[in-house]
Amino acid sequence: MMLGEKFKPLGHRAYGSIPHLPGSKRGPGDHGISQEQADLAIKKCKNRHFRVHVQEKVDGTNVSIAKINGEIIPLVRAGYVANTSPFSMHHLFYTWALKQDWGWLPDNHRLCGEWILQAHGTRYNLVDGPFVAFDVMYEHTRLCLKDFTSLVPECFNRVHTFHTGVLSISDAMAALNDAKGRFGFHYALEPVEGAIWRVEEYNTVEKCWNLNFICKYVRPDSITGKYLPEISGEEVWNFSCVGS
């Protein structure tokens, strides 16, 4: 396998798009979840076989580290090897990824996360580094949160789950952007753009929790990619300013 070659080692995208909750800001081609699904996430759910985890939506570029037949391959969202990207941020991710210890990652699985070294629509203080992990996937299946937390070592910056249970959109955004000027849990320097709801269902046959669906909310007033060169006119990079 030649890592500099333009192809998709997985044979498909490394990560798909997350559907939107009602009222969320959407881009061209974005889609939403059904009202029934939305009710499970943001309204009272009496079905004891479902549980909800609400997480901060981190704003960067989606990347993955795949272990394919024992080989570590850093990927961009579309599924191509990161060092074939035309963007320098992906080459920096590629270099970073190959320096990490992936002995814990099972074969033919991938760790998915957000690379926030270059600012997109939100500036960050990179106190915990430029990578935020949020999913481990096998083919098209995501691990439930408990299995993800058990598998991914604590040395990796993992997306913050700030609420377990049904939570309204307004309460979620208030928890992320409070009146005291605190912006989320990943050292954002401005209001967090949104949140993620992970709805899990208990499998009574296998006696375990499985992810049923995932959805997101993006603030309607957020400006997608406002710091990217095509909008701002220059590359804007995040840095670690510990104590600021």
Side-chain angles (χ1 to χ4, degrees):
M1 184 179 295
M2 296 178 61
L3 294 185
E5 184 181 351
K6 190 78 171 179
F7 75 113
K8 296 183 178 182
L10 297 171
H12 52 75
R13 293 173 65 87
Y15 202 86
S17 60
I18 298 176
H20 290 256
L21 281 163
S24 173
K25 179 178 181 177
R26 303 190 193 186
D30 284 351
H31 61 287
I33 59 173
S34 68
Q35 188 60 54
E36 181 181 8
Q37 288 178 310
D39 289 346
L40 284 174
I42 64 177
K43 296 183 178 180
K44 188 174 182 179
C45 175
K46 297 180 180 179
N47 190 332
R48 62 185 176 87
H49 293 301
F50 286 90
R51 67 182 179 190
V52 182
H53 301 290
V54 190
Q55 301 174 323
E56 178 175 345
K57 183 181 183 300
V58 183
D59 182 18
T61 182
N62 183 290
V63 293
S64 298
I65 299 93
K67 182 181 283 188
I68 303 175
N69 298 323
E71 184 177 6
I72 296 298
I73 306 178
L75 304 171
V76 298
R77 183 175 192 161
Y80 296 107
V81 181
N83 72 342
T84 66
S85 167
F87 302 109
S88 59
M89 61 180 168
H90 293 138
H91 289 258
L92 293 169
F93 162 69
Y94 177 89
T95 300
W96 174 88
L98 292 186
K99 292 180 179 179
Q100 310 307 309
D101 179 6
W102 303 106
W104 56 270
L105 185 63
D107 205 20
N108 297 318
H109 286 64
R110 62 190 182 277
L111 176 67
C112 306
E114 206 78 354
W115 182 248
I116 58 175
L117 185 62
Q118 183 173 351
H120 284 59
T122 309
R123 293 293 307 273
Y124 292 94
N125 180 354
L126 302 185
V127 174
D128 293 327
F131 178 74
V132 183
F134 51 67
D135 263 322
V136 171
M137 300 187 68
Y138 173 73
E139 295 182 349
H140 299 290
T141 301
R142 296 178 172 92
L143 297 189
C144 71
L145 182 60
K146 180 181 178 181
D147 292 341
F148 167 85
T149 303
S150 298
L151 179 62
V152 181
E154 291 186 3
C155 61
F156 284 94
N157 186 16
R158 299 176 293 192
V159 70
H160 187 79
T161 301
F162 63 90
H163 183 84
T164 294
V166 171
L167 188 66
S168 70
I169 291 172
S170 59
D171 286 345
M173 296 311 297
L176 288 170
N177 302 310
D178 65 23
K180 296 181 180 179
R182 178 185 57 83
F183 304 128
F185 302 89
H186 291 282
Y187 302 98
L189 301 177
E190 56 194 293
V192 174
E193 74 165 5
I196 302 289
W197 280 254
R198 302 175 67 94
V199 180
E200 299 180 350
E201 183 177 9
Y202 188 71
N203 186 317
T204 57
V205 176
E206 298 178 359
K207 305 297 182 183
C208 67
W209 289 93
N210 294 314
L211 186 67
N212 186 282
F213 69 92
I214 187 171
C215 58
K216 65 183 177 183
Y217 175 80
V218 179
R219 292 183 4 252
D221 63 337
S222 64
I223 302 175
T224 304
K226 65 184 179 183
Y227 294 114
L228 292 176
E230 52 266 37
I231 297 179
S232 68
E234 61 180 346
E235 292 183 341
V236 179
W237 300 90
N238 294 315
F239 299 95
S240 176
C241 302
V242 178
S244 63

